[in-house]
Amino acid sequence: GESVGLHLPTLSVQEGDNSIINCAYSNSASDYFIWYKQESGKGPQFIIDIRSNMDKRQGQRVTVLLNKTVKHLSLQIAATQPGDSAVYFCAEKYSSASKIIFGSGTRLSIRP
Amino acid sequence: DADVTQTPRNRITKTGKRIMLECSQTKGHDRMYWYRQDPGLGLRLIYYSFDVKDINKGEISDGYSVSRQAQAKFSLSLESAIPNQTALYFCATSDLADHQETQYFGPGTRLLVL
């Protein structure tokens, strides 16, 4: 069935390095993608989104890349900081559907 | 996000009890959602509502019911709680604009069913 998933359940990076969190999706009809960050004890928080007519979108220290050919989505965090420690979820929305489908999440931990 | 509040934040109940989780929002959004999150897993949709009195089942609606009597409030009920409903429950709101839909989540309610 169609699903949104993640290649790596956990990711450990050195403070100051760049982090890359990957996500695969299987429905080629999905045309809107979102990344959420969930810190311990809190609800998910919107980070950045991208529509399928774009390949790249940049925010503050974050960049989302979309490769529709291989149905792959990634979130890049520049100069990772301790405050970036969290679980990151990708999510997709189908063009004809009304619900957002969430992936299972990747935990990002920062080494000092 | 302080614009979306959930009560209670924590709840312990016994098997068979009826409980209600409340969600309120001040964002003025039409769409509201209830999700549950289990350890190590993503979010699973229980119910959602696109407007007052509009109710739609999500992927795991069995054992739950909801009520949307006002735009700002969306309540989730467990008619007869069972232990496998122990989870973290999130309410979310959104406003659809040009097909883009950013959801804003509440802080969550941690429920333990004994």
Side-chain angles (χ1 to χ4, degrees), chain A residues 37-107:
Chain A
K37 172 185 180 182
Q38 185 178 20
E39 297 176 272
S40 181
K42 298 182 179 179
Q45 182 179 15
F46 171 86
I47 302 173
I48 192 168
D49 59 1
I50 188 169
R51 299 188 68 168
S52 59
N53 61 353
M54 302 172 66
D55 296 323
K56 178 179 180 179
R57 191 172 187 203
Q58 289 184 293
Q60 187 176 11
R61 280 201 310 118
V62 295
T63 300
V64 56
L65 299 177
L66 177 62
N67 186 332
K68 296 181 287 294
T69 302
V70 295
K71 301 193 196 81
H72 185 266
L73 189 71
S74 69
L75 176 70
Q76 300 180 1
I77 304 174
T80 310
Q81 303 169 358
D84 294 327
S85 292
V87 176
Y88 290 83
F89 294 96
C90 63
E92 67 178 301
K93 191 167 191 281
Y94 305 157
S95 58
S96 60
S98 58
K99 301 185 295 292
I100 293 175
I101 307 299
F102 287 86
S104 57
T106 292
R107 181 173 300 280

Side-chain angles (χ1 to χ4, degrees), chain A residues 31-32 36 38 51 93, chain B residues 37 98-101 103:
Chain A
D31 65 355
Y32 179 56
Y36 285 89
Q38 185 178 20
R51 299 188 68 168
K93 191 167 191 281
Chain B
Q37 185 177 39
D98 192 24
H99 185 50
Q100 294 182 204
E101 183 175 354
Q103 293 191 338

